[in-house]
Amino acid sequence: MDQRVDAPAPEVEPAPLSRKTPVVRRSRVRGLLVLGVLIVAGLGLGWYWWAHHAAQTAGRTGAGRTAQTPPQPVGAATIDKGNIRIILNELGTVTSLDTVTVLTQISGQLTEVAFQEGQVVKKGDFLVQIDPRPYQVALEQAQGTLAHDQ
């Protein structure tokens, strides 16, 4: 028949609270420091190569080539005193330094414009004529009302 045998469970040691070898967490500072050193070293090597290459190029075209380069002609001219006329033909947009918006105290139809666009005007200059007929009618009506009221 079925017999059940209860055997004692083997004794298991509990996990130690501390490890024999400590966990070493590497900080980001060390990685950033190594990256910075590599960048500085790369920049230094690049600067050295560029300076060395520029010196070699200057050596080839500088003193070593002087004997092979033909002399340049030199011209002589008399010196005159006067104005130098400079004319520039350019494409672009010209904008004014100052812009003035003219507003009227009354509104109406313009009958005459007495200035050209771009013309310099001064205070008191005649610029435009507004149709006086509506204002003449309003004046006559006001005078008629005044006469009636008196």
Side-chain angles (χ1 to χ4, degrees), residues 41-106:
L43 289 173
L45 287 174
W47 176 79
Y48 174 77
W49 178 83
W50 181 75
H52 185 67
H53 180 71
Q56 284 181 348
T57 305
R60 280 189 230 138
T61 59
R65 307 276 290 182
T66 307
Q68 297 173 359
T69 305
Q72 298 295 319
V74 177
T78 58
I79 298 174
D80 290 336
K81 188 175 184 181
N83 294 333
I84 298 174
R85 185 173 175 173
I86 298 173
I87 299 173
L88 298 174
N89 294 324
E90 301 289 334
L91 277 178
T93 304
V94 177
T95 58
S96 64
L97 296 176
D98 293 320
T99 303
V100 178
T101 303
V102 178
L103 301 174
T104 61
Q105 294 177 354
I106 57 175

Side-chain angles (χ1 to χ4, degrees), residues 112-141:
E112 183 182 354
V113 177
F115 70 95
Q116 298 289 328
E117 184 176 348
Q119 175 185 349
V120 178
V121 294
K122 297 178 184 94
K123 183 177 181 179
D125 287 351
F126 176 72
L127 300 177
V128 293
Q129 176 69 43
I130 298 176
D131 186 15
R133 290 179 292 182
Y135 303 106
Q136 187 67 34
V137 170
L139 176 64
E140 290 173 0
Q141 284 181 348

